[in-house]
Amino acid sequence: MVATYEEAAIVAASQQRGEPAWLCDRRAEAARAFAALPMPTPALRPWRYVDLAGLDLGAVAPGAVSVTVEGALPSGVYVGPLAAGVAQVAATEARLGALLPATEGRFLAANA
């Protein structure tokens, strides 16, 4: 588990997990975006009614998440750990983060 969103810590964790270089590079880009982007404010339309004044992202460290899927998935759909998806699904590199780039906002950068 990584304790911060700092680039060096994110890259070290990615390398320690043996992730491919393209994913490590994307995580580093996301960490740089997180550091550069401001917190959303009510001036931004999607955040107009959300008060983020008490949110401390420094107290929330990236961590492991478990996923449970019940039932059948449509053909070509993968749900599971990213590590397995990177290894099993050839389209992961092209599709991961394609719809919502990490550079679009601080929360997207934290997620990436």
Side-chain angles (χ1 to χ4, degrees), residues 52-77:
L52 299 173
L55 181 62
D56 178 13
L57 286 179
V60 180
V65 176
S66 64
V67 176
T68 302
V69 177
E70 296 180 11
L73 294 171
S75 177
V77 173

Side-chain angles (χ1 to χ4, degrees), residues 5-108:
Y5 291 100
E6 294 174 5
E7 182 178 356
I10 296 295
V11 168
S14 180
Q15 291 171 339
Q16 183 179 18
R17 288 188 297 263
E19 294 176 346
W22 67 263
L23 184 54
C24 185
D25 292 343
R26 284 196 193 176
R27 291 188 187 281
E29 178 186 16
R32 288 190 298 273
F34 180 84
L37 292 165
M39 286 293 287
T41 69
L44 300 171
R45 185 163 168 43
W47 297 98
R48 182 172 294 161
Y49 303 107
V50 179
D51 180 10
L52 299 173
L55 181 62
D56 178 13
L57 286 179
V60 180
V65 176
S66 64
V67 176
T68 302
V69 177
E70 296 180 11
L73 294 171
S75 177
V77 173
Y78 170 80
V79 175
L82 181 59
V86 168
Q88 295 176 8
V89 183
T92 303
E93 182 177 0
R95 292 185 178 151
L96 187 65
L99 294 177
L100 298 170
T103 55
E104 291 291 317
R106 196 156 204 216
F107 293 145
L108 293 171

